[in-house]
Amino acid sequence: MIRPILIHPDPRLKKVCDPVPAISSELGKLAEDMLETMYDAPGIGLAAPQIGVAKRLIVMDCVKEGAGDPRPMVLFNPEVVWSSEDLNIYEEGCLSIPDQYAEVKRPASVAVRWTGLDGVAQEEQFDGIWATCVQHEIDHLNGKLFIDYLGLMKRQMITRKMEKLKRERARG
Ligand code: NI
């Protein structure tokens, strides 16, 4: 089921999310909905708070369309356990901040530990776009958006655009 994606500014996007104590079939269904919502948008990552669920759960698939088999990933309680000193700059966007893009500098590689859908702990190193995506999504679980890395003026400009977009959408 495709879920509505919250648009910034929204207090639900600013909250620190709760850890998931145990994987249930209900949470499996939530992850499935999130993947469906992400692919439909389309996007390469989505965090639970973006659909109004304050739980530490993200989904992602950074395989470019036509560049190979999709790799849908579901990460419960993801945690960065190592970051490279090397940094990388990517132009980031966010499904909660439609049509706005900005360059963000982050560690080029990160090792992440998480619990999978099967309840088993996993760890993997991510590089390139995957590293940026997983860090961007984990930020969401801590109430942080990519625009929080920008200067105040740029951030306020984007926020005002989003407020206008929300008013227009509310009017239908
Ligand atoms: Ni985002």
Side-chain angles (χ1 to χ4, degrees):
M1 188 176 80
I2 293 167
R3 310 276 198 110
I5 297 173
L6 300 181
I7 303 297
H8 165 74
D10 189 303
R12 289 167 288 181
L13 293 172
K14 300 304 293 175
K15 287 211 301 205
V16 175
C17 298
D18 299 322
V20 174
I23 314 305
S24 60
S25 58
E26 210 173 296
L27 285 168
K29 177 75 181 81
L30 174 64
E32 202 177 287
D33 283 356
M34 284 172 59
L35 279 168
E36 198 181 338
T37 303
M38 179 190 81
Y39 285 123
D40 176 71
I44 60 171
L46 187 70
Q50 292 182 275
I51 56 162
V53 178
K55 287 186 166 52
R56 303 191 78 81
L57 163 61
I58 65 174
V59 298
M60 59 179 186
D61 182 350
C62 301
V63 177
K64 274 205 190 105
E65 223 187 314
D69 292 334
R71 191 190 177 202
M73 295 193 74
V74 174
L75 294 79
F76 292 96
N77 304 325
E79 228 184 307
V80 173
V81 293
W82 171 84
S83 305
S84 66
E85 277 177 33
D86 277 11
L87 303 175
N88 217 342
I89 297 177
Y90 266 103
E91 185 159 80
E92 296 189 22
C94 181
L95 294 176
S96 292
I97 311 175
D99 301 321
Q100 303 298 318
Y101 303 91
E103 288 187 337
V104 178
K105 196 189 282 182
R106 300 182 187 269
S109 305
V110 287
V112 176
R113 193 176 293 157
W114 74 93
T115 303
L117 265 175
D118 53 5
V120 176
Q122 297 184 45
E123 192 176 318
E124 187 174 322
Q125 185 179 318
F126 295 99
D127 310 290
I129 184 75
W130 287 89
T132 288
C133 184
V134 77
Q135 292 174 80
H136 173 122
E137 300 310 331
I138 290 173
D139 273 353
H140 273 297
L141 306 182
N142 297 317
K144 191 165 184 176
L145 303 171
F146 83 89
I147 56 170
D148 294 328
Y149 291 92
L150 310 179
L152 181 65
M153 297 292 283
K154 186 98 204 271
R155 187 161 73 237
Q156 286 180 337
M157 190 187 75
I158 291 176
T159 298
R160 279 195 297 270
K161 279 186 189 165
M162 292 301 103
E163 284 167 341
K164 183 163 175 267
L165 175 74
K166 287 172 79 168
R167 282 197 301 273
E168 283 167 2
R169 285 190 180 180
R171 274 202 299 269

